Amino acid sequence: MSYCHDPLNFKCQITNSYPHFHNLQELHHSASLATKVFIQRDYSDSTICKFQTKFPAELDSRIERSLFEETVKTLNCYYGEAEKIGGQSYLEGCLACATAYIIFLCMETRYEKILKKISMYIQEQNEKIYAPRGLLLTDPIERGMRVVSFANTWDVFLSVGTTLKELCTIYKL
Amino acid sequence: MSAVMITRKVTRKWEKLPGKNTFCCDGRVMMARQKGVFYLTLFLIIGTCSLFFAFECPYLAVHLSPAIPVFAVLLFVFVMAMLLRTSFSDPGVLPRALPEEANFIEMEIEAANGNVLAGQRPPPRIKNVQINNQIVKLKYCYTCKIFRPPRASHCSICDNCVDRFDHHCPWVGNCVGKRNYRYFYLFTLSLSLLTIYIFAFDIVHVVLREYRNVFEHVVSLTPHCTVLEVLVCFFTLWSVVGLTGFHTYLISLNQTTNEDIKGSWSGKNRVQNPYSHKNIIENCCEVLCGPTYPSVLDRRGVMLEDSTSPNPSDASTHKSSNPVSQTTVRQHFL
């Protein structure tokens, strides 16, 4: 894994300003992400959990490529760390085997600890980066670790905005 | 203004999961529907061991060593723990695609296939991926509406796609897949040892008893239960030891039973196993000492339904609207 650093130290500029729409056309154009976008798994490194870092065209106008790639690479890093077969996994495996795996009733596995970190990271990314751009990143564990999905949170605003404009036109407000 | 809370039974996701599994203990235990053979396994193991502890152990503890029953108990506990762990845990079931994901995949397939003329059969839904310089075909599952990950297969008995599907074992009443393969292997291994142990000490017991009878000119018949135990152990030995040997061979090559039966990596057309590390030790370590994968099937999460209770508290709203991030991670244990 060539790109791997402690994501908890990663700092990003927080921009709290929501994009300002001058007219409804801009809103329509920006909400071109009508359906969810799913980032598929990358199986080039066998069956370890890794997602494709190829930037999807549907997100072109919504988010900067570098931010997207940073998120996916960090997630890949976390999953790589969770599935790493090394000293710690051997120790955990042997200890668990010696206790007939009863120890897992009281102890959290390394994978579970990392899943919690991933969950917090995704929440943080949503708050800082994706929500201001009208996107919502879902945790892959909710999709069977098959996909990372980006949902458009502005579908609701779009439909409300369209209805209000139509009403104003009808009643000449 | 007083808050009115209508208490209703919480519906957990396992109650609405598709597939032919049965769930117990509010979603904590997951098994196949047909459990008859599993009960037989339990009966044989517990029955034989009970007879051994009741009739052979007192004699052997006195005349040979008290360590014999102690070791037998430890082995028996280990066998039961592995059996229950294999039978009750999620083998690595892949949840079915939600409608949005299924539609997205359909759109991708249509885009890839282009325009299919009316009357023509559409091409088979296959995705090619390259794994360690080998092209692997990912098949589309029409039931689960996903492209199956490499090594995953659809179990027709449980009606689920299972990751790293090995086989469906009626003796444990569950599929054997990524999450419970090592418990299954340890079960067969420890059961082999237990069977050999009981068989050996039954023979020792019979020999000692007959020797004493001859020496002391006492006539007594070998207890019937010993004969029964020897019979059970004899027939179990051949099957279980054979199975353990077979799985040891599969682990050393990092293959699944499913792949072995289909001959996926048999070497014809220069097809080799892309998952194997080409090193027996590394293959064994990956399968037996790898990380404990979490269950991606959310069984214990709370179902999101239209709440009729007005003025829910902040905590319960947060929990019901976002159950997975807070509660699901800890529930990926079994």
Side-chain angles (χ1 to χ4, degrees):
Chain A
M1 193 73 70
S2 59
Y3 179 90
C4 191
H5 69 282
D6 184 2
L8 294 176
N9 287 329
F10 174 74
K11 289 176 179 45
C12 72
Q13 289 287 75
I14 301 168
T15 49
N16 271 326
S17 57
Y18 281 73
H20 184 65
F21 292 99
H22 297 284
N23 54 38
L24 214 51
Q25 269 88 16
E26 248 184 76
L27 189 62
H28 274 286
H29 175 69
S30 295
S32 58
L33 189 61
T35 57
K36 286 188 183 168
V37 177
F38 295 96
I39 311 301
Q40 306 283 349
R41 284 271 293 269
D42 177 8
Y43 294 114
S44 56
D45 271 340
S46 191
T47 48
I48 61 163
C49 187
K50 195 174 160 193
F51 294 97
Q52 291 176 2
T53 49
K54 185 168 147 271
F55 188 65
E58 294 94 334
L59 291 178
D60 205 9
S61 52
R62 301 299 295 271
I63 186 140
E64 292 83 4
R65 185 186 286 255
S66 57
L67 287 172
F68 166 83
E69 281 178 2
E70 168 82 38
T71 308
V72 180
K73 279 179 180 168
T74 312
L75 285 177
N76 286 343
C77 206
Y78 270 126
Y79 286 117
E81 194 194 317
E83 298 195 4
K84 195 171 69 172
I85 301 168
Q88 207 173 349
S89 78
Y90 291 153
L91 197 64
E92 193 183 58
C94 292
L95 179 70
C97 185
T99 60
Y101 294 94
I102 294 169
I103 199 166
F104 284 152
L105 288 168
C106 1
M107 190 185 94
E108 218 176 34
T109 64
R110 204 169 118 250
Y111 211 119
E112 283 172 347
K113 286 179 192 157
I114 293 177
L115 281 181
K116 278 194 176 158
K117 278 192 204 169
I118 290 171
S119 179
M120 276 169 41
Y121 172 72
I122 288 177
Q123 211 167 340
E124 183 205 328
Q125 289 284 288
N126 273 329
E127 281 166 19
K128 289 182 185 169
I129 297 174
Y130 294 98
R133 290 167 174 78
L135 291 170
L136 180 70
L137 178 65
T138 49
D139 196 332
I141 201 103
E142 295 173 33
R143 300 278 179 266
M145 306 263 267
R146 279 194 304 266
V147 286
V148 175
S149 72
F150 288 88
N152 184 11
T153 57
W154 285 343
D155 267 338
V156 173
F157 298 137
L158 175 66
S159 59
V160 168
T162 315
T163 314
L164 279 174
K165 179 139 171 99
E166 281 167 359
L167 282 172
C168 291
T169 318
I170 291 165
Y171 293 104
K172 294 187 173 44
L173 292 170
Chain B
M1 201 156 69
S2 63
V4 178
M5 288 287 288
I6 302 167
T7 48
R8 53 198 296 177
K9 180 182 161 292
V10 159
T11 308
R12 300 238 181 222
K13 289 184 180 176
W14 65 264
E15 296 174 59
K16 304 280 184 225
L17 278 176
K20 295 180 192 162
N21 290 100
T22 50
F23 297 90
C24 308
C25 301
D26 201 17
R28 290 181 181 87
V29 165
M30 180 173 172
M31 291 183 76
R33 260 188 209 167
Q34 301 94 341
K35 295 186 274 290
V37 188
F38 168 67
Y39 293 138
L40 176 67
T41 310
L42 273 179
F43 173 72
L44 285 173
I45 296 174
I46 295 173
T48 314
C49 291
S50 307
L51 291 176
F52 182 73
F53 293 134
F55 295 102
E56 265 77 26
C57 284
Y59 186 91
L60 291 167
V62 166
H63 289 89
L64 274 182
S65 163
I68 295 169
V70 168
F71 190 72
V73 167
L74 290 174
L75 205 47
F76 170 72
V77 167
F78 190 81
V79 167
M80 289 308 296
M82 291 300 103
L83 172 63
L84 295 178
R85 192 120 193 159
T86 311
S87 303
F88 294 168
S89 58
D90 172 6
V93 170
L94 297 168
R96 296 188 187 189
L98 293 173
E100 302 136 333
E101 193 189 336
N103 288 338
F104 186 83
I105 295 173
E106 288 280 341
M107 274 164 39
E108 267 191 348
I109 293 170
E110 275 166 32
N113 289 345
N115 286 324
V116 177
L117 296 171
Q120 240 184 23
R121 194 194 287 188
R125 295 182 170 191
I126 286 176
K127 215 190 243 188
N128 286 329
V129 293
Q130 193 173 45
I131 300 175
N132 291 334
N133 302 320
Q134 180 96 28
I135 300 289
V136 174
K137 288 188 182 347
L138 303 187
K139 285 189 189 165
Y140 182 78
C141 181
Y142 286 92
T143 314
C144 303
K145 300 209 177 358
I146 56 168
F147 275 101
R148 284 184 213 129
R151 312 193 91 173
S153 190
H154 192 94
C155 175
S156 48
I157 301 170
C158 300
D159 202 22
N160 288 317
C161 269
V162 178
D163 205 353
R164 203 188 184 279
F165 180 71
D166 195 83
H167 67 286
H168 181 97
C169 185
W171 297 96
V172 302
N174 204 356
C175 284
V176 178
K178 183 163 92 168
R179 291 191 74 240
N180 65 353
Y181 184 65
R182 80 187 65 180
Y183 310 130
F184 174 75
Y185 177 73
L186 289 172
F187 165 64
T188 57
L189 183 66
S190 54
L191 186 61
S192 306
L193 292 173
L194 183 65
T195 313
I196 293 169
Y197 192 86
I198 293 179
F199 188 74
F201 281 105
D202 276 348
I203 304 294
V204 165
H205 175 236
V206 168
V207 166
L208 276 180
R209 202 181 261 270
E210 294 309 311
Y211 177 76
R212 263 187 75 216
N213 293 347
V214 167
F215 193 70
E216 293 171 6
H217 303 286
V218 170
V219 176
S220 76
L221 297 166
T222 308
H224 296 296
C225 49
T226 310
V227 174
L228 185 65
E229 284 168 49
V230 168
L231 273 174
V232 171
C233 288
F234 183 75
F235 289 111
T236 311
L237 257 178
W238 294 113
S239 46
V240 177
V241 171
L243 192 66
T244 310
F246 174 63
H247 280 282
T248 310
Y249 160 76
L250 287 180
I251 288 173
S252 63
L253 294 177
N254 203 336
Q255 260 189 39
T256 62
T257 307
N258 196 39
E259 285 164 358
D260 188 68
I261 288 172
K262 286 182 183 170
S264 310
W265 320 121
S266 59
K268 56 181 181 186
N269 303 328
R270 290 192 201 154
V271 169
Q272 288 194 331
N273 187 355
Y275 313 109
S276 172
H277 299 278
K278 312 278 187 261
N279 180 335
I280 291 176
I281 309 283
E282 270 191 58
N283 284 338
C284 292
C285 287
E286 190 199 304
V287 177
L288 299 174
C289 302
T292 39
Y293 298 98
S295 171
V296 295
L297 197 68
D298 188 14
R299 288 167 279 153
R300 304 251 313 135
V302 175
M303 280 289 287
L304 298 171
E305 37 188 0
D306 295 327
S307 177
T308 56
S309 62
N311 196 18
S313 66
D314 281 345
S316 69
T317 311
H318 175 71
K319 191 176 180 185
S320 63
S321 62
N322 192 8
V324 288
S325 63
Q326 299 305 315
T327 61
T328 309
V329 175
R330 190 61 195 93
Q331 286 146 17
H332 288 300
F333 159 65
L334 192 63

